[in-house]
Amino acid sequence: MNSSDNSTDSSEGSPLNHMEGPNIETEKMLPSVLIATEQKNIDFFLSLCDFAILRGFPQLRDSVRNLLKLLPTGTRMLGEMLDHCRDCSQRDSVSAFNSLRSYFVAPTPSPSRTLYLLEISHAMLMPSVDFRDSESVDFQVNFVVCGGLKLLLSFLTDKTLLADAGNVMKRSAMMTIMKMLKLLLMASAYGCIVHVVQDMKNKQVSDERHKAAMVLQTALQNIIPVNEQKLRHTASMLARQYWEKLISPLPDVSVVRSIQLLAWSAACGDVSLSSEPTSIHNAFTMLSSSPSSRGVDTEDMHLARDSLEVLSLSLAISPHVLTSLETSQDWKHFVIDTLLLIRNRLIRITAADQLFYIVTKCSFSTSSFISFISLLFSGVESVAKDHAPTSGEFFRLLARLLNHAHQASVQIAGLDKLLEEELKWLLKVREDTLASPTRQCPVEGPLLDGHLSLLVELLTFRSVAERHHIGSKSGGERLIEIVMSDFLFPASRLVKEARENPDSEKQELSEYVAQPICSTTECTQSAFKLLNALCAGCSENIATLHQLLSSYFYSGQDPPLCEWEFIPHIGPRPLKGFVGLKNAGATCYMNSVLQQLYTIPPIRVGILAVEEAAKEFVVLDEQEREGEKKERKQRERLNNIDDVEDESEGQALQSVPSSSSDDRKDTQKKVLMQLQSIFSHLLEGRLQFHTPQGFWREFRLWGDRVNLREQHDAFEFFNCLVDNLDEGLKTFSYSPVLSEVLGGAFADQKICRGCPHRYSREESFTALNIDIRNQQHLFESLDAFVKGDLLEGANAYHCEKCDKKVDTVKRLCISRLPKVLVIQLKRFDYDWERETAVKFNDYFEFPRELDMSPYTAATLAKTEGEEIPSPEETEQKIPGDKPETPVSTHYHLRGIVVHSGQASGGHYYSFIRVRPQGSGSPKWFRFDDGEVVEAKIDDEEEFKAQCFGGDYTGEVYDHVLKKTHYRRQKRWWSAYLLFYDRADQCPVFDEALQSPTAIPKPMKSIVHKQNLEFLHHKSHYSFPYFQFMKNFLILNGNHIKAVLERNPHMTLEMEKLGLQCVQLATTFLFHCGIHTKKTLRGPAAEWYDALQPFLLLGPTIRLWFADNVFLKNRDRFSEYLLECPSAEVRNMFSKMITFLCVATNKDPPIEVSVTTNAGTEKTRHLFSEIALNSLLQLLKKQVADNSRHLNQYFQVFLNYANRGVAERKQLLHLSVPSLFIAVALDEGPGPPLRSPYADLSKLYAVVGILVRSCDVTMMQKSLYEGQEPLPNEFADPELSHPLPNDLHNWLYERINTQQNITFTKKMIEDNSTMDETIQFLCFVCWEHWQFSMIVLNDLLLEIAAVQVFDMRPFLDLLSHLLMLQDTWQGHRISTALKGFTHHADGLITIIQHGQTHFHKRAYLCIKFLVALCGRCPLLYKVISEDLYIKTHWQSAIRWLHTEMERRPYVTPGYSYTGWSPPAQSNEASNGYYLERSNSAKLTLKRAKELFPMEEPPEEHVEEVIPPGGDPDAGMPAEEAEIHGIERHPVPHTQQPHSNTSTQCPPSDSVPNNDPPTTEQHPQPIPPSNEQGTTTVKHGGSLTDGVDRIHEETLVGNKNDTSLPEFVPDPA
């Protein structure tokens, strides 16, 4: 319903452009339409297609077919088909069928024409645009009437149809036929149901027919997917009108068999075999035995799935056919082939679904169902075992059938034997797995998952005692312990054993022992379902499960989670992947270099070979763990452990002084040991990344400890680390392996030009520093590197042998090449002018293959035609050197360290070419801190883009133009360090990679122990485990409910069982479950819903839960209601506490210990008393500290108060309203709330409910002298509690003392518009003039001050207050319109000010009054009869009319269309000018209807003031001025000075409820000061002297309790 109150602010839309929408004449000129219009073109294409079929040109055939699909339907052929079907519908059935068949299958065979006609028919039966157009409906009717269903069924059995057209044409035809059959068979099924319904009206239906119709109706709801609503609608429409034509013929055995063979052959991928079942089965056998065979293409898949659905429909219509099918061997082969042998999973899923519907929904006979289950069980040990990868759907179908049998109470023979065989199979799998040295499960995941699912369903047929024997009874299989210890939690079992036997911790733990047998998610979920099946309703099994889970996860060794929103942040190591390194804030420069060194085999082997370092590391590691244990409790109190850890480390490292006083050798040893630990974890770790805390702590960068949040240069770190490691190796008497691998030698040469002498001095290096400025290739930089400088003139070199100065070339070249060459590209420098570091992002290229021979001393000398001097002639020759053997000068790129960013900051990561374990060829990987992924660096373009720097063309979004454009940008990422392997060392490195690297035993034990802890936590904090716990509660809750429905006398037994479930769930939830992230635990409300049925079972469970969860852990009230950051968790506990408080009020009291001065006393209290007192104690501190999370805290009291009278009495007895009012005013028992934005809406609601339950009649007074106040309509009808003194002081005494802030003012300022808040204000203002004035004053102040978009809540509160129909209603309305002197302005004044200051505020007040006039007749009467108000109201309407007419929107940019942008909302926007919205127009229209516009009066009538002061009050005017309240004349039924008669609202008649008065003062409203006349102020007192007011009061219709609706302007 649209009105001025609920209309939108959108302006009317522009008229539709004539160019918009489809243009029929233009479309007729399209080439495709022109081609299709000429029938000769269509005939030509069909003939061409037939020619291609006949001559065997598949490409031509497919091209013609694709062209026909693009063209519209041939106009003439479509018309002929419609006319032919219309003519056939007028004939008898036999003649019509023959004519229709001859039309589709012409005497002269044309496969393309037949297929084309079928496709046209399908398009008309199921049009894609509108299936209800008249032409389509006519064709549907005519096609059905002339035997279309019979025709399609005959096509299925006609082996000659398209026999020579080939697979592609036949497949397309059968696809179209299946789609049409799906529609017509569904219509036929509906027709059969309609037939039964028609006969039921004549009482001619037997029970068997009725039951068959019910079965058919159920089948139709399942067979066809729910999303095919169009198909269902069309079928039901045809069935309702033409059911007689659709119920015959029904699919017979030949038709159903043809459909089966079609689905079977399509699943095989060869439709030509559809008439040869043996050939189809053989083809399936060959496909399953050939791993390299291609899969089924998309067209065959769709045909197979559609055929399976049609098969189900046919058997649903003709269920008797199934009996003849199931006895056939072909049917058995069909079932097994489509479920197991086909590789297309979608076909297997469809086959499983449709076969389930066939045997469960299409027939009410159990014999077919039982025989089908027997068929599937016969293939479990044979076919399913041989096709394990594709057996998932087979086992899932069998499990669904067993579940259906259990639900339908179908008796199946031999289930005991099947259960025994499944148990033996499962135990055999366990035995074989444990016997394997690698603990590899001998069966594949789908097969194990399938057998576990079967075991779950078979256990549902067993009794509780039998499940106890299988699950946990001594002498039974003890399946619960086996499944948990070997299939699910082997790592947790090993951790438990290690904790129970600390001496075993030093033994080597094999990671294979910790691998669970269930290695896939599906298997794990099935294993958990098996545990639930064993524990459902079995008390002994639940006890065993609880004991095992507690020993694994909930013992004292695993402290409860303290971190909120916890989720494991470390994942597993990728399969055949690498372990990353954690970034502590700015340690990426460390990680990138460490990964490069780790992947160099000789360095890794040399570091790990130091056994002595590993032994010392173990001792240090134990000492560090002891220190960490002491700090763990302090860390866990904080929410973000990682940030605290990093921050504390960074601060600690800054505070430690320089290591100049430390033993340098000790530091080098520790660095070596920490690197050995890092390499061990990178090699054997099973975590996604390793955290090298020890290395961060021990490493010194040139003597100083590093700040983990400060980035350093990667090359600087590389040099420092190499020096530390070599020195550390020397302290353990090992050779410096890094210098041996990375070290080379420079030749610092001086070649004299004026004499034949040359001088050379060797210098060792671990990296080459290459300048990249003004160079674009590594070869250019190396050429410049060895070019040298000419020393001449004054700088000439003094040759000692010649004893004179000669011109000399001074250069640096390479005399000895390292095994691994490291090259630094000098991209960083310092700008001394700007005093800042700079980075060069210039393009610089380097090769994958590098030849260093041109840069060696020997090659350079040979190039220059000189001989290298003998050692005797070399002055700087190092004594004792032996001639070096020739080494290769060719290098292969193996690693790149990339820097991304600028000189001031950035990020380092590495690309490394390495061979993964089990891989034949090396691959490039990106090592980016904790993430290691394969990189595409082999691609040249990617290699260039990732490493060379330079410019690139990228997308840039322009925020001004609001569009994206392309421009050249600098790459801020580029290579910084290069690692090259020498060619002659590559075979050595490969050989080292193939052989396993030995790790020192102490280090290996530490790594394996960490792996074990990781697997332990991984299995605990896993989604399947959390789902298992939730399903455990749900299943046992359903079991208890079912048992009690059958036998209500088993309450005690079920209560005992429920207590066990609650104990286990409580242990899980409060130890870790609730503290985890929602993605892991799921919605918190689901856990509450799962727990609640158990808490309803009996007092024993409730009292145990209340005692163990809350009373023994009082901190949980604050932890879960205030400190928890998750709102849904707080909501859950709010509901839980409320529920327990209410439920336990009828239970026996709980004994608690109270400590007093006399000692400890034991008293008994209800849980609600203890809980409410504990919650109120939180007001002293915790509520203030967590003021952003108060909603759920006060929700507890709100829910509890809404439960009943006794609960509200209890809260009043605890002084809850007074305490909450004090908290709201920051005068509570605790400190003020920390957050100024605390949500107190629920607090206001609690106070409102409890105050309305109190008796305040003593504070109320009627307007009329000697008359009793009217009954308070907002009082609690069930409770009238005496008003407590403290609450009286807060509500009434505080306003008399003129405090700055009152509770009502605070409530109004906070925009609390909850229903309880509104009812509270109405309750306290009822028949209370003083309170009404206070509330009105506060509301008007807010309306005049707040932003326009915030006015809505205050206007809503004001509307409810003005609708109060007590004796003071007229005074409230008049005061709201006129306001108070020296206080709040009335609405009339606000409108006047808004006309010149803020248009939208004035408009919203006008809109509010217009809307309220339609609901409140008294307001209309006041405005109409009070001359002062009426005059200003008419002025406001004229102003609004002027504003709406003054500024029409003109948009020059859209002048050619006449369109203008929609106006914004006057409520949502904050502009100055009024928006000409639809709502504003409707408001003005409604205002004119209510109050017709009048011409402004020429003369102003001054108000006659009676002698003695106020014309309306008994007090003198001077006393009214003292109280500061503006008094205006109260409206009367007649205004003698009014020039116009009163016009009532058109829809409401205003009753005259005026009380009799002794005197009347019909005074006119004086003009305002703005008009140059005198305004007389009228006022009243806020004291108790309101009884002195003797004036006429207008009272509205008391039967009209409806509230005014103030609808905002929608945006």
Side-chain angles (χ1 to χ4, degrees), residues 547-565:
Q547 185 270 328
L548 288 172
L549 288 176
S550 299
S551 64
Y552 287 170
F553 304 119
Y554 312 124
S555 61
Q557 299 290 335
D558 290 309
L561 275 179
C562 295
E563 176 186 354
W564 285 105
E565 299 294 307

Side-chain angles (χ1 to χ4, degrees), residues 1316-1534:
E1316 287 296 340
T1317 304
I1318 295 171
Q1319 293 190 45
F1320 165 76
L1321 291 176
C1322 295
F1323 173 79
V1324 294
C1325 291
W1326 183 271
E1327 295 286 30
H1328 198 295
W1329 176 243
Q1330 184 184 9
F1331 222 113
S1332 298
M1333 300 295 280
I1334 292 293
V1335 174
L1336 281 174
N1337 182 72
D1338 293 339
L1339 275 175
L1340 291 174
L1341 285 174
E1342 294 295 333
I1343 293 171
V1346 298
Q1347 297 289 341
V1348 173
F1349 48 77
D1350 289 333
M1351 288 178 62
R1352 166 69 189 278
F1354 304 106
L1355 293 174
D1356 281 348
L1357 286 175
L1358 181 61
S1359 67
H1360 287 86
L1361 199 62
L1362 298 183
M1363 288 293 291
L1364 286 180
Q1365 296 182 5
D1366 61 353
T1367 58
W1368 297 97
Q1369 185 181 14
H1371 280 33
R1372 275 191 290 269
I1373 292 175
S1374 178
T1375 304
L1377 293 172
K1378 297 179 180 180
F1380 303 87
T1381 303
H1382 305 309
H1383 287 79
D1385 292 331
L1387 292 176
I1388 294 296
T1389 306
I1390 292 174
I1391 293 173
Q1392 285 180 313
H1393 290 172
Q1395 294 173 13
T1396 57
H1397 293 83
F1398 216 109
H1399 291 184
K1400 292 182 179 180
R1401 190 184 307 278
Y1403 160 72
L1404 290 179
C1405 292
I1406 294 173
K1407 180 179 179 180
F1408 165 74
L1409 293 174
V1410 170
L1412 194 58
C1413 280
R1415 305 293 300 278
C1416 182
L1418 186 55
L1419 174 63
Y1420 176 82
K1421 190 173 183 180
V1422 169
I1423 295 176
S1424 300
E1425 298 182 356
D1426 190 302
L1427 183 59
Y1428 172 82
I1429 297 174
K1430 181 178 181 181
T1431 303
H1432 289 81
W1433 178 249
Q1434 288 287 340
S1435 174
I1437 297 177
R1438 285 193 296 271
W1439 168 81
L1440 181 59
H1441 175 80
T1442 303
E1443 288 298 319
M1444 297 297 291
E1445 297 294 332
R1446 183 189 305 179
R1447 286 189 304 277
Y1449 283 107
V1450 178
T1451 310
Y1454 299 96
S1455 58
Y1456 60 91
T1457 62
W1459 179 85
S1460 61
Q1464 296 182 354
S1465 168
N1466 285 298
E1467 289 189 28
S1469 59
N1470 198 28
Y1472 175 81
Y1473 293 109
L1474 180 68
E1475 300 285 348
R1476 295 179 63 251
S1477 62
N1478 281 340
S1479 180
K1481 296 175 183 177
L1482 294 175
T1483 299
L1484 178 61
K1485 179 181 177 181
R1486 179 62 174 161
K1488 291 179 179 179
E1489 292 175 354
L1490 290 173
F1491 308 97
M1493 294 178 60
E1494 303 174 0
E1495 294 296 329
E1498 297 180 1
E1499 296 182 358
H1500 299 289
V1501 182
E1502 295 185 358
E1503 182 177 356
V1504 180
I1505 304 177
D1510 194 345
D1512 296 318
M1515 68 174 68
E1518 293 81 8
E1519 185 177 349
E1521 284 289 332
I1522 292 174
H1523 290 284
I1525 303 300
E1526 182 180 358
R1527 297 299 304 267
H1528 295 290
V1530 178
H1532 302 281
T1533 56
Q1534 296 179 356

Side-chain angles (χ1 to χ4, degrees), residues 988-1007:
V988 180
F989 293 171
D990 291 341
E991 183 179 353
L993 287 173
Q994 296 302 323
S995 58
T997 304
I999 299 179
K1001 287 186 178 180
M1003 201 67 70
K1004 191 171 186 178
S1005 177
I1006 293 175
V1007 175

Side-chain angles (χ1 to χ4, degrees), residues 746-754 757-763 782-792 795-798 806-814 860 864 876:
F746 288 130
D748 186 0
Q749 295 181 342
K750 298 177 182 65
I751 304 172
C752 300
R753 291 293 180 91
H757 303 128
R758 74 164 60 204
Y759 300 88
S760 179
R761 181 173 57 89
E762 279 197 354
E763 296 179 3
L782 288 173
D783 290 338
F785 181 79
V786 300
K787 183 178 181 180
D789 299 320
L790 178 63
L791 305 178
E792 59 182 351
N795 295 326
Y797 179 72
H798 182 269
V806 296
D807 293 345
T808 307
V809 174
K810 185 179 183 302
R811 70 183 180 190
L812 202 64
C813 56
I814 300 173
L860 288 173
E864 295 166 356
Q876 305 297 331

Side-chain angles (χ1 to χ4, degrees), residues 721-732:
L721 179 64
V722 169
D723 291 345
N724 275 272
L725 293 176
D726 278 342
E727 293 299 323
L729 288 168
K730 292 176 183 178
T731 59
F732 287 103

Side-chain angles (χ1 to χ4, degrees), residues 1224-1244:
L1225 300 179
D1226 288 340
E1227 301 177 20
L1233 301 179
R1234 288 189 176 183
S1235 173
Y1237 307 106
D1239 183 8
L1240 300 180
S1241 58
K1242 300 297 175 62
L1243 179 148
Y1244 300 141

